[in-house]
Amino acid sequence: MKKNIVVLGGGIGGMEFLTQAARKLDLNQYQLILVDKNELHVWKPMLHTFAAGSAHASEQGINYLEQAKRHHFLFQPGDIGQLDLTHKTISLKAYTNKKGQPILPQRQLSYDYLVIALGSQTNDFHTPGVKEYAYSIDDLHNALRFHDHLKADIIQAAILGKKHHVVIVGAGATGVELAGEIAYVVHQAKQYVDHDFTQYIQITVIQSGDKVLPNFKDEVAKAVGHTMQNIGIRLILSERVKAVAADHVLLASGETIPADQVAWTTGVKAPDFFETLDVARSKQDQLIINDQLQLLDYPDVFAMGDCAAIQHHPVPPTAQAVTQQAAYLSEHFSQIISHTPNIPAFAYKDYGALVSVGRFQSFGIFGHNIEVKGLMAKLAHIYLYRRHQIRILGLWRGLCAMLADKFRQQAR
């Protein structure tokens, strides 16, 4: 009888592990199963482009069912209701369509080995009004909800000349890239009307620290800030949001900022249901794992990416980190579960960081000292995404996806 290897989460880590493990494991002995609440896999660093409307998930996404057929794993759509680590079972909530109509009932899966790759969610720090009035951009569903609202605002601005205020809380990479992408979409959209309506869209970014991109070097952060201001984005630094309301945000200083739409992009934490697990967790509720990505008290359970923290040397919550973890785990999985001695520990390598302000300017840091901007940084950003596509789809399908994107761009 085959042993079940269940993967929770079809993001970067989950999909890259599944695709690579399917090639390396004996599928006569193991059944690979993916659980995800969405139908499509998307590259998480692209979520801000779906939120802004400059890219479309239907074109960039990879269908889980098609990927499952190609790589001989099963796809179980659904959201996790409960995880029982003692009895090795996973309870899935009923799966419904967009109208709330049931498609699949509540189900229970059993596993022999479990890989948790659920990523992270936005941390609102219990700020009043965030849950009611702000959008997070932490998964595809939320990104598309944000876009629906933004699209309506742009139409009103173009036709009625109505002023709209978009406020983004947090000037980390997601906040900066979202602001830049919205600015790009607004500048592009003005081609379709006979007047400049960009004056009716005000984008404001609020950051509690004294600079944008707090994890970047001061020189890069300053250059990014200048670029944002040059394209009309308002920056409010060294200010904390005290509350979010239906039509404004309240700052700790007492000032109110008009807000028709708020994106909350600051802070990350692990999925809420981790709180029900009797395991070691970090301050952000991440699962504590060892150097071979196993839970400390459950060696048959693995975790990677934003939802996990290695016990003695945590890695940053980035796409490159989870990509490296997925490659490590798929390479050594059979050795780890068979208790082979002298398996190397996971070692993270920091290759740098990249950020783009829409299509206006790109910046990057490679290694510790090499700074790039403009075309080189833009090409590096594109390379990371295309490399991920090829790892998931294979060389031929990955190249076809690139060509399809180019043809769609020309058609538009």
Side-chain angles (χ1 to χ4, degrees):
M1 185 175 179
K2 292 184 179 181
K3 292 186 175 182
N4 286 341
I5 303 172
V6 177
V7 178
L8 302 182
I12 295 173
M15 279 293 274
E16 293 206 8
F17 169 77
L18 273 169
T19 304
Q20 296 172 54
R23 300 178 185 135
K24 296 174 182 178
L25 293 173
D26 182 357
L27 298 184
N28 293 315
Q29 297 185 46
Y30 300 104
Q31 177 64 67
L32 291 164
I33 303 171
L34 169 65
V35 174
D36 198 283
K37 63 183 179 182
N38 297 304
E39 299 176 7
L40 295 175
H41 163 80
V42 295
W43 197 49
K44 191 171 182 178
M46 283 192 73
L47 285 177
H48 68 281
T49 65
F50 304 142
S54 56
H56 305 281
S58 59
E59 297 173 354
Q60 301 299 326
I62 298 173
N63 186 282
Y64 286 130
L65 281 174
E66 293 177 2
Q67 189 74 359
K69 183 177 180 181
R70 291 192 196 109
H71 294 280
H72 311 290
F73 62 85
L74 298 178
F75 172 51
Q76 284 278 1
D79 201 1
I80 299 160
Q82 187 175 8
L83 174 58
D84 188 334
L85 297 175
T86 302
H87 298 95
K88 294 189 172 185
T89 59
I90 306 156
S91 298
L92 299 182
K93 299 176 184 178
Y95 185 64
T96 61
N97 61 18
K98 293 180 180 179
K99 296 180 180 179
Q101 299 168 330
I103 298 175
L104 296 172
Q106 294 181 359
R107 290 151 290 148
Q108 190 173 84
L109 300 177
S110 61
Y111 65 84
D112 296 284
Y113 303 101
L114 181 66
V115 179
I116 303 175
L118 289 169
S120 60
Q121 61 184 10
T122 303
N123 190 347
D124 62 15
F125 303 106
H126 306 292
T127 305
V130 173
K131 285 185 170 61
E132 294 82 2
Y133 302 113
Y135 294 85
S136 61
I137 314 294
D138 51 14
D139 65 18
L140 180 59
H141 172 72
N142 289 324
L144 295 180
R145 284 180 59 242
F146 180 91
H147 173 62
D148 287 342
H149 188 159
L150 178 67
K151 181 168 61 176
D153 284 359
I154 291 176
I155 291 172
Q156 287 186 332
I159 306 301
L160 303 179
K162 183 180 178 182
K163 187 83 171 182
H164 286 280
H165 299 269
V166 180
V167 174
I168 299 170
V169 183
T174 300
V176 166
E177 294 193 322
L178 177 62
E181 208 68 25
I182 293 173
Y184 170 75
V185 169
V186 170
H187 278 77
Q188 289 294 105
K190 73 178 183 180
Q191 300 177 35
Y192 302 101
V193 294
D194 58 3
H195 64 284
D196 183 4
F197 76 96
T198 58
Q199 61 184 309
Y200 299 114
I201 301 288
Q202 175 63 62
I203 305 167
T204 302
V205 178
I206 302 171
Q207 170 69 6
S208 59
D210 61 359
K211 67 175 186 177
V212 303
L213 300 173
N215 296 324
F216 280 64
K217 295 175 65 174
D218 288 347
E219 293 81 359
V220 174
K222 188 178 293 185
V224 169
H226 285 319
T227 299
M228 295 172 72
Q229 291 174 319
N230 288 339
I231 60 175
I233 297 170
R234 179 188 180 192
L235 291 180
I236 299 178
L237 303 178
S238 301
E239 271 282 16
R240 184 175 59 84
V241 172
K242 187 176 180 180
V244 178
D247 60 356
H248 68 273
V249 297
L250 174 63
L251 303 182
S253 64
E255 183 183 359
T256 60
I257 306 297
D260 298 293
Q261 186 174 13
V262 177
W264 192 274
T265 68
T266 184
V268 296
K269 66 175 184 176
D272 290 336
F273 83 88
F274 281 9
E275 297 175 5
T276 66
L277 303 178
D278 186 19
V279 295
R281 300 194 305 274
S282 72
K283 292 180 180 179
Q284 290 76 35
D285 276 335
Q286 297 164 296
L287 302 174
I288 304 295
I289 54 177
N290 64 20
D291 289 337
Q292 294 179 346
L293 311 188
Q294 298 163 292
L295 263 64
L296 300 185
D297 297 321
Y298 296 91
D300 292 337
V301 180
F302 301 80
M304 70 172 86
D306 298 2
C307 69
I310 299 177
Q311 188 174 21
H312 299 299
H313 47 90
V315 300
T318 61
Q320 66 169 320
V322 73
T323 294
Q324 292 177 35
Q325 289 176 331
Y328 168 87
L329 190 58
S330 62
E331 179 69 29
H332 299 289
F333 189 82
S334 60
Q335 297 172 296
I336 295 172
I337 63 177
S338 61
H339 308 291
T340 302
N342 301 320
I343 302 171
F346 171 75
Y348 170 67
K349 296 180 180 179
D350 187 353
Y351 292 107
L354 294 164
V355 66
S356 293
V357 185
R359 314 295 166 88
F360 299 100
Q361 187 62 282
S362 296
F363 302 86
I365 300 175
F366 298 138
H368 297 288
N369 299 310
I370 303 174
E371 298 178 18
V372 296
K373 69 175 184 178
L375 181 60
M376 287 296 294
K378 183 179 180 179
L379 290 175
H381 207 280
I382 294 171
Y383 168 75
L384 290 179
Y385 173 51
R386 296 308 184 185
R387 188 180 177 193
H388 170 71
Q389 276 189 318
I390 289 173
R391 284 195 297 265
I392 296 297
L393 296 173
L395 180 60
W396 171 243
R397 285 192 175 89
L399 292 174
C400 288
M402 295 180 207
L403 289 173
D405 287 343
K406 289 298 181 184
F407 287 138
R408 281 192 289 264
Q409 289 174 8
Q410 292 299 318
R412 292 194 184 102

